[in-house]
Each structure stands twice: as C-alpha cells, then as structure tokens.
Amino acid sequence: MRIGYSFWGFLGPGITDTPDGGRSHRRTLIEGLRGLGHEIVFLQQDRDRIEAGTAFAHLYTWDDGLPDIDAVFLEWRWPIPGRNTTPCGTSGHTCDLHRQHQLLDHYTRRGLPTIVWDKDLHLPAGHPLRHAPHVTVCEAALHPTAGAVSLLFPVDDNALDTADPDTLTQRPRPLSLAYIGNQYDRDEAFDSYFAAAASGRRDCVVAGKWVDTRRWPQVRFIGRVPFSHVARIHGDALATVLLLPDRYAAVGQMTQRLSEAVLAGCLPLTPAYIRSAPQFTPWPLHVTSSAHLTAKVAQLRRIATTAAHADLVAQCLAKLDTFRLSRQLDTLDRALSRTGVRS
C-alpha cells in the first residue's frame, strides 16, 4: 500500500539546533514499513536537504502536493506560538502545522484511513480525531489514553540481537553520569535526581537545550550537541538518568534516550515513580532520590568492567525487547486493518 507520511524533522543527523528526537527511530520505522512492501511518500518539507544539506532524494520520495495514497500517517504537530502559528513567510515561521491542517482537510476529513502518532501527548482528550472510525490514535506510552493504541519508539531488531554486553562494558567510561536531552518540563525531576549528584563534578555532564540553568551553577552544561555526538557521549558515560516530564511519567512513556543509552552500554538509572518502571529497566537501576542516585553511581563505578556490570547491561537489553521494530510493525498492521486498509 502507499502511505503518505507526515513528519517535521530529519531522517539523517539534521542540524544541531533542533529538538527532533525522532532521528533515533524514524528511519528505523520507515525502513521497517518499506521492508514489508509498503511505498512511503513524505508529505512535509525535505528538511534534510533544505536545512542540513543531506541528500536522500535518491532513496525516498517527497511530495508537497496532495498525491494519491491509501493511508496517511501523521507524526502529530501542535500549535507552538511564534513558530507555526504565525503567517506564512513571517520570520521564524515553520509551516508544519499549516501543512498538517491541509492534509487533514484533504485526506482524513474525506474518510481516508489515518494514523495519528501523538508522540508528545499534545492531542487533546476530546479531539474529534479520537472518535473518527477511520482514525487510529497511537501514543508512545505503555498506558495510552482510552481508545488510543500503544506504538513505542522502535528499536531495530538486529541492533538488539547483535549488541554484546561484554564488549560494551569493557570500553573506558571517563564520565560517571551524563544526561542528554532538553529542559522542557524537566526542572523538578532534574532537581530531585540529577543536580545534587552532579554538582561540582567534572565527570558529570548535561547536553541539550537548557535555557535557564541559574538554579544549578555547579552542574556542567555543554549545550546542544550534534546528533552524531549522542552515541559518543553515552559511550563515554557509565550511567545516565531517565528524566521525564510528568505527563510522560504518569502513562509510562519512555523517550528514545533509553534505547540510545543502553545500546551504547550506558546504564539508565530510573526514577522509581515512573509508571511501569520495571518494564523499562531492572530494579537494581531504580532510584528514589538524589542521594540514592549518588550512591548508585558509586556502586556502579566499583563494578565497572566486571561480570556484574555486563549482566546489568544484558538485563537492560532484554528490557528493550518491548520496543523491537517487529513488534511496532505488528501494531501498525493491526491499526491499518482497524481503519479499513488491509496491508
């Protein structure tokens, strides 16, 4: 079948100054769909070419018109004041939201089977799309909103099957603790779990867009880094902390940072209050406070490169089975069938 796929982001590394977490898993999902025989046409701008100068046109198809398709797949966009709510042509304007409105009007409101992937949990609970029979709303949460389907951020099966805990734990880990991610709605979690543990330590680092860091003068912030550096930082770090906005934690929505860290052998310390935390990581990595986290990092440093260290990485890799690409493709197959399209 021919699927029109709408996303505002990149397939490749993209540019540094952007909050596109989808780079870690979007192409994995696209290639998985293509591997099942589906034809994919991208319906938003080719930002890889326009902004990053990366050429994918020989591999994929973009169409800024309204092509004939069998189904539409939307990575949900929401109003961002001053960015996509401004008139076209205005300085700083992005047209992702306007384009999404156009796609909804032309395809979805005329009855074309539609999948809405609300990756950031911004689709209102009472939105009409949630009640349309030809629309399936997916959320990247273990406990999605009533009526929605759980579609997690996919991890390539082969990457999981070939990851070697012994190899991962033998590399040098000069950083004891690293966090990669943006500040958005994470201040409280950062205060409770990371800030005190990292205070004044050069072997702890935070990478990402943190606009206001005045509360944590002793924490080492290095700003946004190129996407290609994410794996390098995780590869240098003994551990990270899974910091989530409250709306994610309440429904068991884990970001791509979990798989990025684990596949690099970086142990993901997990705040125990996150819903269904045991499904993401083994209990020895669960923490309840900054003091607990500090003690846990010290314990991990003591066992670094040992068999116990490798066993923890192996347990984390096993937990990623829930995120396998093959599982997410099964979910999409059921979703397309539910909306009237047989794949």
Side-chain angles (χ1 to χ4, degrees), residues 144-214:
T145 305
V149 172
S150 179
L151 179 65
L152 306 179
F153 300 133
V155 180
D156 182 69
D157 288 44
N158 186 63
L160 286 178
D161 294 337
T162 58
D164 179 23
D166 292 320
T167 300
L168 290 171
T169 51
Q170 291 308 304
R171 65 178 292 171
R173 301 275 171 177
L175 295 174
S176 290
L177 193 62
Y179 179 74
I180 304 175
N182 298 323
Q183 187 169 8
Y184 311 132
D185 303 318
R186 288 173 169 84
D187 284 16
E188 184 175 349
F190 189 80
D191 257 339
S192 299
Y193 292 95
F194 192 97
S199 182
R201 295 181 56 164
R202 299 302 295 172
D203 66 342
C204 299
V205 65
V206 178
K209 184 178 180 180
W210 288 70
V211 178
D212 186 357
T213 61
R214 290 172 296 178

Side-chain angles (χ1 to χ4, degrees), residues 18-337:
T18 182
D20 179 29
R23 287 172 291 187
S24 70
H25 56 261
R26 182 177 294 118
R27 198 171 176 191
T28 296
L29 183 63
I30 295 301
E31 287 303 317
L33 289 169
R34 285 168 45 132
L36 294 178
H38 300 300
E39 179 184 355
I40 307 296
V41 55
F42 298 128
L43 301 175
Q44 294 271 2
Q45 294 179 12
D46 181 358
R47 294 182 66 195
D48 287 279
R49 176 183 59 81
I50 297 170
E51 298 180 42
T54 305
F56 283 115
H58 63 295
L59 297 175
Y60 304 107
T61 300
W62 278 262
D63 194 321
D64 60 3
L66 297 168
D68 290 333
I69 54 178
D70 301 307
V72 61
F73 186 114
L74 306 172
E75 290 188 17
W76 186 250
R77 303 301 299 163
W78 63 94
I80 303 174
R83 188 186 304 175
N84 59 15
T85 60
T86 55
C88 297
T90 304
S91 177
H93 175 77
T94 62
C95 221
D96 53 305
L97 190 62
H98 291 168
R99 175 60 167 167
Q100 181 172 271
H101 289 329
Q102 182 185 36
L103 298 174
L104 288 169
D105 286 340
H106 183 79
Y107 295 117
T108 307
R109 292 194 173 93
R110 297 184 182 184
L112 194 76
T114 299
I115 293 176
V116 173
W117 197 11
D118 186 19
K119 301 168 68 174
D120 295 273
L121 302 183
H122 282 303
L123 184 69
H127 198 286
L129 285 173
R130 293 188 181 274
H131 308 291
H134 62 291
V135 175
T136 297
V137 174
C138 297
E139 296 170 357
L142 295 180
H143 306 280
T145 305
V149 172
S150 179
L151 179 65
L152 306 179
F153 300 133
V155 180
D156 182 69
D157 288 44
N158 186 63
L160 286 178
D161 294 337
T162 58
D164 179 23
D166 292 320
T167 300
L168 290 171
T169 51
Q170 291 308 304
R171 65 178 292 171
R173 301 275 171 177
L175 295 174
S176 290
L177 193 62
Y179 179 74
I180 304 175
N182 298 323
Q183 187 169 8
Y184 311 132
D185 303 318
R186 288 173 169 84
D187 284 16
E188 184 175 349
F190 189 80
D191 257 339
S192 299
Y193 292 95
F194 192 97
S199 182
R201 295 181 56 164
R202 299 302 295 172
D203 66 342
C204 299
V205 65
V206 178
K209 184 178 180 180
W210 288 70
V211 178
D212 186 357
T213 61
R214 290 172 296 178
R215 292 165 56 180
W216 312 291
Q218 300 304 315
V219 175
R220 184 183 168 201
F221 293 91
I222 62 173
R224 272 183 168 157
V225 297
F227 181 69
S228 57
H229 291 188
V230 170
R232 183 185 309 170
I233 294 173
H234 281 142
D236 285 341
L238 179 65
T240 187
V241 189
L242 301 176
L243 302 178
L244 300 179
D246 287 345
R247 70 182 188 278
Y248 289 4
V251 296
Q253 174 160 324
M254 187 53 65
T255 72
Q256 72 282 355
R257 299 306 179 197
L258 172 61
S259 59
E260 289 174 352
V262 173
L263 289 173
C266 178
L267 293 169
L269 296 172
T270 308
Y273 74 89
I274 294 174
R275 188 174 180 184
S276 294
Q279 292 187 241
F280 298 121
T281 57
W283 72 264
L285 297 180
H286 294 186
V287 292
T288 57
S289 66
S290 183
H292 190 193
L293 187 147
T294 300
K296 188 67 67 173
V297 171
Q299 177 190 4
L300 294 178
R301 183 57 77 186
R302 287 193 295 271
I303 68 168
T305 74
T306 68
H309 186 189
D311 181 63
L312 278 175
V313 172
Q315 290 182 58
C316 290
L317 287 166
K319 294 286 186 180
L320 288 182
D321 189 72
T322 304
F323 297 84
R324 277 184 179 271
L325 171 63
S326 53
R327 291 181 180 273
Q328 311 319 311
L329 292 175
D330 287 344
T331 295
L332 284 177
D333 184 61
R334 290 191 297 270
L336 290 168
S337 298

